[in-house]
Amino acid sequence: MLSMYPACFFKEEQGYSVIFPDLDLATCGETINEAMAMAIDCLAGRLRWLRQDGEPLPEPSPMNSIKLTAVAKELEIEPQEAFVNIVSVDVEAYAKEHFDKSVKKTLIIPEWLNAAALEMNLNLSQVLQEALLAKVQAR
């Protein structure tokens, strides 16, 4: 299912800032193409997170109701080059490709450790994922 939300794109000295007024969400990119790609990624991530937490999705505002000057004033920036654009994403398809996609890794462990893991019926992929996640989150 396609989700669509208006986003404000602001040209700045070093690229573009992107603001989703309905979602209290922002991202950026060095080029307009990078800013759009980041906007799609950011939108997909926020909507997925809201769904996973059982939160209601905010209703997208009509594009013509977004006032760039008001958004810029709130951000304390000057809207020299700015525009509103609809950013759309199929959250589930995007998540499968970018968030949930698994990659195969080959690893080497001592034989005795493998035997002990097999004896305990451990899922080595799951154990590795849990250990890596703990390391990454502790960072």
Side-chain angles (χ1 to χ4, degrees):
M1 183 173 121
L2 200 59
S3 296
M4 298 184 291
Y5 281 83
C8 303
F9 288 74
F10 294 97
K11 174 75 172 121
E12 298 192 54
E13 286 180 32
Q14 302 262 319
Y16 292 84
S17 291
V18 184
I19 311 298
F20 289 92
D22 298 322
L23 298 164
D24 194 27
L25 186 64
T27 189
C28 61
E30 290 183 14
T31 66
I32 190 66
N33 288 340
E34 185 179 298
M36 181 57 81
M38 293 300 295
I40 292 167
D41 186 73
C42 199
L43 178 61
R46 174 59 63 93
L47 295 179
R48 183 169 187 243
W49 175 62
L50 288 171
R51 286 180 186 160
Q52 285 178 337
D53 285 355
E55 298 286 328
L57 300 183
E59 195 66 31
S61 297
M63 218 166 104
N64 61 359
S65 73
I66 304 293
K67 304 297 181 214
L68 287 169
T69 51
V71 175
K73 184 177 180 181
E74 190 176 320
L75 297 171
E76 299 178 354
I77 61 174
E78 291 294 323
Q80 297 160 359
E81 279 185 55
F83 61 93
V84 178
N85 197 39
I86 293 292
V87 177
S88 63
V89 65
D90 181 329
V91 177
E92 296 309 313
Y94 192 89
K96 282 182 184 175
E97 179 66 26
H98 299 279
F99 303 146
D100 299 333
K101 187 177 180 180
S102 294
V103 293
K104 184 175 179 167
K105 294 288 181 187
T106 302
L107 69 133
I108 298 171
I109 59 174
E111 188 175 340
W112 68 266
L113 187 55
N114 185 57
L118 289 173
E119 194 174 299
M120 294 175 65
N121 291 323
L122 292 177
N123 178 327
L124 294 182
S125 291
Q126 184 65 37
V127 171
L128 178 59
Q129 286 180 49
E130 290 170 357
L132 287 172
L133 189 57
K135 284 280 190 185
V136 168
Q137 289 176 340
R139 197 172 76 152

